[in-house]
Amino acid sequence: MQDLRNITGSFETVYDLTKKLAIFGKYAIRKISYDEITSQVSLMSMQANYDLSDKVDLGTGIRLLSQDKSNDYKVSPFLELGYKPEKDIRISLGYNFIHYHDGQIPELDYSA
């Protein structure tokens, strides 16, 4: 019988540098074990939001998603415009710039 185990954990924090500027950080990890094979995927994200007004903000940041066994990673810088219709509700529209690195087959690397 095969043994499959999956462990996931994350940590996230927000810090208001000023009344208008906030920074966000997140780290998440997923460890998967199947029989004698173990793989780990991690996500790191950093973001800064600047309030243009009480209801509108501009955000920018970067995400790094990596997988240890294949040495693959994806880097995604992004920009977004956020709208806060009510307290504790935020709707955003943005764009991700993507760079993918394949640790085993360099011909599969790409940017968009």
Side-chain angles (χ1 to χ4, degrees):
M1 176 130 184
Q2 294 145 341
D3 183 25
L4 175 64
R5 288 183 302 181
N6 184 351
I7 300 169
T8 304
S10 69
F11 174 77
E12 186 169 353
T13 188
V14 178
Y15 183 71
D16 292 327
L17 288 173
T18 67
K19 276 183 107 173
K20 292 186 170 249
L21 182 63
I23 56 172
F24 305 81
K26 181 171 191 166
Y27 179 75
I29 188 167
R30 183 176 190 184
K31 189 173 183 180
I32 303 163
S33 298
Y34 184 74
D35 285 339
E36 296 178 15
I37 301 169
T38 299
S39 179
Q40 181 174 298
V41 177
S42 63
L43 169 73
M44 289 180 280
S45 178
M46 292 295 297
Q47 180 172 350
N49 283 9
Y50 183 79
D51 291 337
L52 301 173
S53 71
D54 288 343
K55 298 232 177 232
V56 178
D57 65 38
L58 183 63
T60 186
I62 190 164
R63 295 180 187 105
L64 172 65
L65 180 66
S66 62
Q67 201 277 341
D68 73 329
K69 283 290 184 199
S70 61
N71 200 25
D72 294 347
Y73 65 86
K74 182 170 90 169
V75 178
S76 300
F78 61 91
L79 292 171
E80 64 184 28
L81 187 63
Y83 174 67
K84 302 173 208 168
E86 297 289 330
K87 185 180 179 194
D88 298 326
I89 296 175
R90 181 176 182 268
I91 301 166
S92 67
L93 180 65
Y95 184 80
N96 287 307
F97 305 89
I98 298 172
H99 174 74
Y100 174 75
H101 169 77
D102 187 303
Q104 297 176 349
I105 307 171
E107 292 80 19
L108 296 179
D109 291 3
Y110 68 88
S111 294

